[in-house]
Amino acid sequence: MLLRPLLPAAVALAGLVLGAATPLRAAPSLQALQEALNSTSPEALTAVLEPGQGLDPDEVARRRLLLREQFPDASWSVQPGAPLKDGRSTTQISVTGSRGEGPYQFRFQAQQQLVLGDGGSRFNSQEVIRESSILRSGDSDLQVSLLIPDAVLTGQRYDVDVVFDEPLDGAVVAGSLKPVTAGELLRMRTPDLQLEALGGGGIFKSAQAPYLPGTQTWAVLLVHPKGIVAASKQVRVVADRAALSF
């Protein structure tokens, strides 16, 4: 997962990017992938990843390094995920990390659900099913809900809401919500989020999906007297109604 300070960009936990996938076979193992992601050896990832459709091991390594530069204690977990309706196996990848910046301490958590494919000895493709991240500061974890769908139809209007789970009790809060462009994702940059005072308990927005299948990523920043919350969420844009549920 790549992020700039305070603003996580949803470009995927280990830097893996969208690509077609085939059902996962026995080799290589998820344990080997977890060990490679957590290794400090530059060659560790090449032992379990090979170039393929949508997968560049060098890019994965570069993004992993950047994450470690921002969160030196970053730790990846790779586990089997719930199978999809079409029978494909999935993999759940999560990463956690923390960092100090002046008087502030930031805690980062992100997760992906993937369909991985392999070429017999190394993973060579993957498809992102779900992806989100959250970064918090402050002594207590401000609880927020990202009420953003996992998938929408092409051209569909849908709600993008981010709300504080607890009453504000008179607290003055500010926030911003904005889509991340394809160029910003490619450059691993987040959009310029201009804070505005929030009159309610969160941000409530109506958005329109692109007219072509793909993905749409949202970045949000919330500022509360008790801390800062930055988050991101990917939305899959599909042309077939049956693909709305996984």
Side-chain angles (χ1 to χ4, degrees):
M1 175 64 67
L2 263 291
L3 74 150
R4 289 164 43 190
L6 309 185
L7 300 178
V11 263
L13 305 165
L16 303 177
V17 293
L18 287 176
T22 57
L24 179 65
R25 298 191 290 275
S29 70
L30 299 184
Q31 179 64 31
L33 177 58
Q34 176 176 290
E35 292 174 357
L37 288 170
N38 286 297
S39 173
T40 58
S41 169
E43 294 79 23
L45 286 172
T46 59
V48 295
L49 302 177
E50 64 182 358
Q53 186 172 1
L55 181 55
D56 181 351
D58 291 337
E59 181 70 6
V60 174
R62 186 177 71 86
R63 296 183 181 186
R64 180 187 62 171
L65 177 61
L66 181 57
L67 178 62
R68 282 216 174 99
E69 289 175 351
Q70 299 188 48
F71 297 99
D73 64 349
S75 175
W76 282 262
S77 172
V78 181
Q79 301 292 333
L84 301 180
K85 285 177 23 178
D86 60 11
R88 289 183 295 168
S89 300
T90 70
T91 298
Q92 193 74 27
I93 300 182
S94 63
V95 60
T96 58
S98 62
R99 65 174 290 172
E101 190 169 316
Y104 302 104
Q105 187 70 22
F106 296 97
R107 299 171 301 283
F108 175 67
Q109 184 177 15
Q111 47 279 318
Q112 278 186 322
Q113 184 184 15
L114 307 172
V115 174
L116 293 173
D118 72 82
S121 61
R122 291 180 290 179
F123 296 110
N124 63 4
S125 65
Q126 62 90 38
E127 179 183 357
V128 179
I129 304 301
R130 293 182 177 89
E131 177 180 277
S132 62
S133 70
I134 192 162
L135 179 74
R136 293 186 176 93
S137 74
D139 296 330
S140 60
D141 284 346
L142 286 169
Q143 297 302 311
V144 299
S145 294
L146 302 182
L147 304 180
I148 303 173
D150 291 323
V152 296
L153 290 172
T154 52
Q156 175 186 343
R157 294 206 66 85
Y158 63 100
D159 293 331
V160 182
D161 301 331
V162 182
V163 298
F164 289 100
D165 293 344
E166 299 179 358
L168 295 180
D169 293 329
V172 177
V173 296
S176 182
L177 175 70
K178 193 173 181 180
V180 184
T181 68
E184 288 166 336
L185 284 174
L186 183 63
R187 299 190 305 273
M188 289 163 295
R189 305 281 292 182
T190 54
D192 183 15
L193 297 176
Q194 300 295 325
L195 290 174
E196 297 180 358
L198 302 180
I203 301 175
F204 307 92
K205 182 181 179 68
S206 177
Q208 184 166 21
Y211 287 96
L212 294 175
T215 62
Q216 197 169 35
T217 297
W218 293 92
V220 61
L221 177 64
L222 297 171
V223 178
H224 187 283
K226 293 183 179 179
I228 296 170
V229 176
S232 63
K233 173 77 182 285
Q234 176 188 278
V235 179
R236 286 165 60 97
V237 180
V238 299
D240 185 358
R241 186 173 295 276
L244 290 175
S245 58
F246 311 135

